């Protein structure tokens, strides 16, 4: 039987990292087994069920690269994939239960009479668990439908998993305690329950429950912050799972190859945005330039930065790449290469580009550079060092004013590479401006 997994989010207005991790593990498991990954939107709660809330989920999954095989926008043989459109199916299943004598009415609500048994759940992650459902005090009968006619999650989720032929229900551990009740429903409907795999919860580092408002909780904040989707996939795949050698940088392809449900941790996972940030930096560093540019260009365009040629952009990206940890910071590293209106970081100016001494040093460097016949990083470095020796000062005492003069900033990529790329004309004119700025201050 071919594997069919599903991600079944309720549209709450945001895609939580926990949900994104659930989606990822379902997707990975389907891909690993050449199976089918289904997306089903559990939108039976009409009050929260807005178009925008649904779009947030679709956008988040698209961004993460978790393509679904069946679901919204895609279709499939087991639709519709919005629960709000599946009322007729639920009615039919409800009447089957009713005919078999499993239901009763209670103040307008429809409830399922539990057989009051012990139910064993063989969970792929948590192992074999016996639930004792014999006591109605601790395990009241499930409500399937509210007096207003709306459906309760437990019932419609079971119906959909049957109808959509789901073989593996991979979801958060918060649903583990619901599972024996779901198993009762499967049995009453004459269906074989799917395999269950309940993943450990994701908590804050201090062990508290993650709230919507915690930094990094909403997947929607990652694209704008300048995370690469492949890095976030890497990070999420380590929340509750790890490859044997405990490697932290692991491609999605490798995770698919190595992953199995019985290796998922039982211990809760700690959410650590610093680690995600670090992983992102590693990905940006290792990334080939074509992919880097693809991710970078929207950030540059948004900042109004334009570049004369593709080659010029590539050269700049190559030298700033090792410095940038989040793509949202990229424009401030790149801007000085593609503008005539340099903006100066005033604290950096105050530190390195102020006073007659700084002006005089820069003037000497400018003269040395003006007389250079070749304009490459090695010659520029040689000439600067030679000038420093001539002036009897340390290299740094020339590097800092030069950097602020050409880039406006106290930090940046390698100075000589930067000067090489900027070109002689631009550099000498920035030196002149810098000299005037220092002398005038
Ligand atoms: N809509 C449920 C949730 O978001 C799905 C639970 C499940 O996967 O069965 O928690």
């Amino acid at each position: 039987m071919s594997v069919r997994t599903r991600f079944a989010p309720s549209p709450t207005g945001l895609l939580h990292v926990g949900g994104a991790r659930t989606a990822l593990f379902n997707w990975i498991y389907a891909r690993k087994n050449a199976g089918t990954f289904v997306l089903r939107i559990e939108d039976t709660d009409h009050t929260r069920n807005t178009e925008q809330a649904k779009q947030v989920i679709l956008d988040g999954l698209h961004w993460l690269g978790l393509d679904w095989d069946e679901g919204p926008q895609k279709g499939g043989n087991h639709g519709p994939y919005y629960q709000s459109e599946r009322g007729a199916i639920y009615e039919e299943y409800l009447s089957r239960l009713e005919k078999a004598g499993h239901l009763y009415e209670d103040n307008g609500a429809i409830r399922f009479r539990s057989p009051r048994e012990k139910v064993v759940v063989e969970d792929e992650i948590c192992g074999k668990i016996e639930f004792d459902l014999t006591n109605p005090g601790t395990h009241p009968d499930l409500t399937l439908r509210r007096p207003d006619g709306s459906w309760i999650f437990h019932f419609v989720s079971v119906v959909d998993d049957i109808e959509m032929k789901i073989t593996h229900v991979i979801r958060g551990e918060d649903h583990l305690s619901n599972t024996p009740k779901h198993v009762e429903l499967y049995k009453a409907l004459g269906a074989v329950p799917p395999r269950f795999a309940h993943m450990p919860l994701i908590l804050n580092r201090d062990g508290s429950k993650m709230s919507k408002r915690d930094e990094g909780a909403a997947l929607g904040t990652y694209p704008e912050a300048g995370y690469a989707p492949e890095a976030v996939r890497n990070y999420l795949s380590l929340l509750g799972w790890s490859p044997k050698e405990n490697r932290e940088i692991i491609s999605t392809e490798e995770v698919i190859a190595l992953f199995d449900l019985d290796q998922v941790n039982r211990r809760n996972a700690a959410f650590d945005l610093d680690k995600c940030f670090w992983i992102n930096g590693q990905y940006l560093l290792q990334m080939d330039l074509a992919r880097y540019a693809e991710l970078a260009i929207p950030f540059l365009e948004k900042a109004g930065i334009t570049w004369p040629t593709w080659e010029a952009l590539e050269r700049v990206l190559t030298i700033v790449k090792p410095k940038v940890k989040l793509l949202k910071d990229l424009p401030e590293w790149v801007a000085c290469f593609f503008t005539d209106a340099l903006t100066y970081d005033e604290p950096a100016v105050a530190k390195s580009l102020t006073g007659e001494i700084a002006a005089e040093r820069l003037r000497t460097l400018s003269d040395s550079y003006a007389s250079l016949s070749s304009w490459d990083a090695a010659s520029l470095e040689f000439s600067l060092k030679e000038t420093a020796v001539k002036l009897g000062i340390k290299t740094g005492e020339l590097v800092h004013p030069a950097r602020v003069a050409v880039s406006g900033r106290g930090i940046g990529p390698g100075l000589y590479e930067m000067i090489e790329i900027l070109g002689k004309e631009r550099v000498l004119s920035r030196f002149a401006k810098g000299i005037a700025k220092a002398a005038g201050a």
Side-chain angles (χ1 to χ4, degrees), residues 6 31 73 78 117 124 130 135 156 165 173 189 229 262 266 270 299 313 327 345 391 416:
R6 83 324 189 249
R31 293 291 166 267
Q73 299 173 339
H78 305 81
E117 288 167 355
E124 304 282 318
E130 190 183 82
N135 180 354
V156 292
K165 302 196 170 6
E173 208 182 276
L189 287 164
D262 60 11
R266 297 197 50 189
F299 287 88
L313 178 64
L327 289 164
D345 173 47
L391 289 167
Y416 311 111

Side-chain angles (χ1 to χ4, degrees), residues 5-61:
T5 64
R6 83 324 189 249
F7 177 48
S10 310
T12 58
L14 92 170
L15 179 55
H16 193 274
V17 281
R21 195 263 320 243
T22 299
L24 175 67
F25 281 29
N26 276 284
W27 178 85
I28 287 171
Y29 195 70
R31 293 291 166 267
K32 179 175 182 82
N33 292 286
T36 303
F37 173 55
V38 178
L39 174 62
R40 175 174 80 227
I41 306 292
E42 306 215 316
D43 57 347
T44 52
D45 181 346
H46 297 290
T47 53
R48 297 198 292 185
N49 168 15
T50 63
E51 268 318 303
Q52 198 206 349
K54 292 180 212 173
Q55 197 57 44
V56 165
I57 295 169
L58 306 184
D59 290 347
L61 296 178

Side-chain angles (χ1 to χ4, degrees), residues 358-372 375 379-388 390-391 393 395 397-403 405-406 415-416 419 427-428 431 435:
E360 187 49 39
R361 286 172 181 171
L362 206 51
R363 210 172 279 133
T364 312
L365 181 66
S366 183
D367 290 345
S368 310
Y369 276 9
S371 67
L372 282 179
W375 194 263
S379 313
L380 292 160
E381 178 171 3
F382 184 82
S383 171
L384 182 141
K385 287 186 170 158
E386 202 181 43
T387 308
K390 204 164 77 187
L391 289 167
I393 58 176
T395 308
E397 289 173 291
L398 213 39
V399 163
H400 297 303
R403 177 184 291 289
V406 298
L415 177 67
Y416 311 111
I419 290 179
V427 167
L428 294 182
F431 276 171
I435 293 161

